[in-house]
Amino acid sequence: MKISIGEYRQGLYKSVGGLIRVFLRKGGGSIEDIIFTGDFFIFPEDSLDLMAQSLKDVALDKERIQDIIGEVFRREGIDSPGTTAEDFAEAIMAAAR
Amino acid sequence: MMWRYLDIGLIDPYEAMAVHEAMFISRLEDESPNTLYLEQYNTKSVFLGYHQCAQAELNLDYCKQNNIKVVRRSTGGGAGYMDSKQLNYEVTVDRKEYGIPSDFVGSYGRIMDGFIEALKYLELDAEFKPINDLLVNGGKISGGCMTRKDTIILQHGSLLVDFDLETAFKVLNVPKIKYKSKGIKSAKSRVTCLNKELGYAIKLENLKTVIKKGFMKSFGISFNDSGLSSYEKELVNKLLPKYRSEEFIYRM
């Protein structure tokens, strides 16, 4: 997908496994749209879309976001060396601030 | 145990990405042997990781003005600027045949051992720094990335023989946050190259010879020199349009 950066708020967070750069469109206090980018590794490689889908309309609450991403990690058997569900949640909260 | 040694020489960067994926697919289908592959790029180019946003990570105007090709890998990791002065590699291997660990860092480090052994022949002490760096005297001399499926690993990366640091940092937007946590004053100070560490310009042929020797020692193997199979060439032709397409390069 092409990102028109102007429409999104950007959040950066450096995890052990790499830089997470999140593009966030807020709707009130919730996530309207989110795109995960960065130089981390994640297997399977298409896991980021599943994570983004699971966060649609979720309130911008770090613990809630972390739980949802953690659940996607478990369900899909995601392996992301040095990058945790909490790191992704941190990047989202950095974009929300 | 015999591996294929494939030195393709100078190659177009888009074609190179198609070759990398073709060898991986063919290895997965058990149509190709374990392989150590070497290449150099025939043009200035910058390689984006699969998950990176082109417009955020790169100075695209500078790339356009300076004829620097923008390429996207199918593997994760970060962007790297390349010209013909680096030696790039790919290893495709069945990890089960060599007791290579299944986890990312363990398997990456195991393959890096081939390069660590190689650099010993040049009297350089290299160390693997997780998750994907090879350091000499504290400076990064090689970066790379990996994908895997079933028990097959594709690991590819570069060995910085010489490096145009100035151009690299004009091409890449390196956010300060990336280096702040490591306590390093600037991103530039993290990078080194072989010629700098050796104090002379190594001949590529000599470097290739020690890399082969390093892998032979590390994995207890011999090499059979050969090119791409006709099946791999077929796959390259099928994959090349993807790597050349704007849709893929600027997918995000």
Side-chain angles (χ1 to χ4, degrees), chain B residues 4 6 17-35 90 92-94 97 147 149-150 152-154 227-236 239:
Chain B
R4 171 174 58 169
L6 203 170
M17 293 300 96
V19 168
H20 289 203
E21 189 175 344
M23 288 194 299
F24 180 55
I25 293 170
S26 185
R27 183 68 194 85
L28 267 169
E29 294 172 357
D30 216 12
E31 294 291 330
S32 296
N34 297 324
T35 299
E90 170 163 291
T92 47
V93 63
D94 186 338
E97 292 173 17
T147 189
K149 200 171 178 191
D150 304 330
I152 305 299
I153 290 174
L154 174 169
L228 293 170
S229 68
S230 52
Y231 177 57
E232 286 168 329
K233 285 179 187 167
E234 226 175 85
L235 287 171
V236 169
L239 291 163

Side-chain angles (χ1 to χ4, degrees), chain A residues 1 3 21 38-39 45 79, chain B residues 55 57 147-148 178 251:
Chain A
M1 80 237 42
I3 304 167
R21 192 191 289 269
D39 62 15
E45 269 102 353
D79 175 23
Chain B
Q55 53 183 318
E57 305 296 343
T147 189
R148 56 261 184 95
K178 197 164 157 48
R251 64 182 283 270

Side-chain angles (χ1 to χ4, degrees), chain B residues 3-212:
Chain B
W3 285 25
R4 171 174 58 169
Y5 173 76
L6 203 170
D7 176 8
I8 213 160
L10 282 167
I11 186 169
D12 167 83
Y14 300 109
E15 200 180 330
M17 293 300 96
V19 168
H20 289 203
E21 189 175 344
M23 288 194 299
F24 180 55
I25 293 170
S26 185
R27 183 68 194 85
L28 267 169
E29 294 172 357
D30 216 12
E31 294 291 330
S32 296
N34 297 324
T35 299
L36 169 65
Y37 162 96
L38 299 176
E39 69 186 6
Q40 300 130 259
Y41 300 124
N42 65 4
T43 181
K44 292 182 284 185
S45 40
V46 61
F47 290 77
L48 282 162
Y50 185 67
H51 306 298
Q52 288 188 297
C53 171
Q55 53 183 318
E57 305 296 343
L58 304 180
N59 292 318
L60 291 171
D61 288 343
Y62 183 86
C63 292
K64 203 173 173 185
Q65 286 155 14
N66 293 278
N67 285 326
I68 295 166
K69 289 186 177 171
V70 179
V71 187
R72 189 181 290 276
R73 299 188 303 266
S74 287
T75 49
Y81 169 73
M82 298 288 142
D83 55 27
S84 60
K85 292 173 190 153
Q86 297 77 45
L87 188 61
N88 306 292
Y89 74 90
E90 170 163 291
V91 170
T92 47
V93 63
D94 186 338
R95 64 174 173 77
K96 277 202 166 159
E97 292 173 17
Y98 294 91
I100 298 172
S102 59
D103 67 294
F104 182 97
V105 170
S107 53
Y108 197 100
R110 178 66 191 88
I111 290 170
M112 275 290 115
D113 189 64
F115 290 98
I116 291 171
E117 288 298 331
L119 294 179
K120 280 182 190 168
Y121 290 109
L122 300 174
E123 295 176 355
L124 290 178
D125 279 326
E127 58 169 322
F128 169 58
K129 183 164 181 271
I131 58 171
N132 63 335
D133 289 349
L134 190 68
L135 306 183
V136 171
N137 290 324
K140 179 171 172 174
I141 206 157
S142 168
C145 23
M146 174 191 282
T147 189
R148 56 261 184 95
K149 200 171 178 191
D150 304 330
T151 58
I152 305 299
I153 290 174
L154 174 169
Q155 186 165 317
H156 56 186
S158 59
L159 192 59
L160 305 182
V161 181
D162 214 327
F163 193 54
D164 181 355
L165 206 59
E166 293 308 315
T167 304
F169 281 84
K170 284 176 187 159
V171 169
L172 306 168
N173 290 325
V174 184
K176 278 183 190 156
I177 190 176
K178 197 164 157 48
Y179 297 96
K180 223 168 146 184
S181 59
K182 292 183 180 172
I184 294 168
K185 280 182 192 164
S186 77
K188 286 184 184 176
S189 67
R190 271 193 81 214
V191 184
T192 189
C193 62
L194 213 46
N195 287 350
K196 185 179 157 193
E197 295 300 331
L198 289 169
Y200 64 90
I202 189 168
K203 285 185 181 158
L204 272 183
E205 286 314 310
N206 294 349
L207 179 58
K208 289 171 184 176
T209 302
V210 297
I211 291 173
K212 277 174 94 169

Side-chain angles (χ1 to χ4, degrees), chain A residues 42-54 68-80:
Chain A
I42 191 162
F43 306 100
E45 269 102 353
D46 56 5
S47 306
L48 295 175
D49 291 341
L50 295 173
M51 277 164 52
Q53 281 161 23
S54 71
I68 290 171
I69 296 174
E71 176 51 32
V72 177
F73 264 57
R74 281 186 291 278
R75 194 181 66 223
E76 303 294 333
I78 292 173
D79 175 23
S80 139

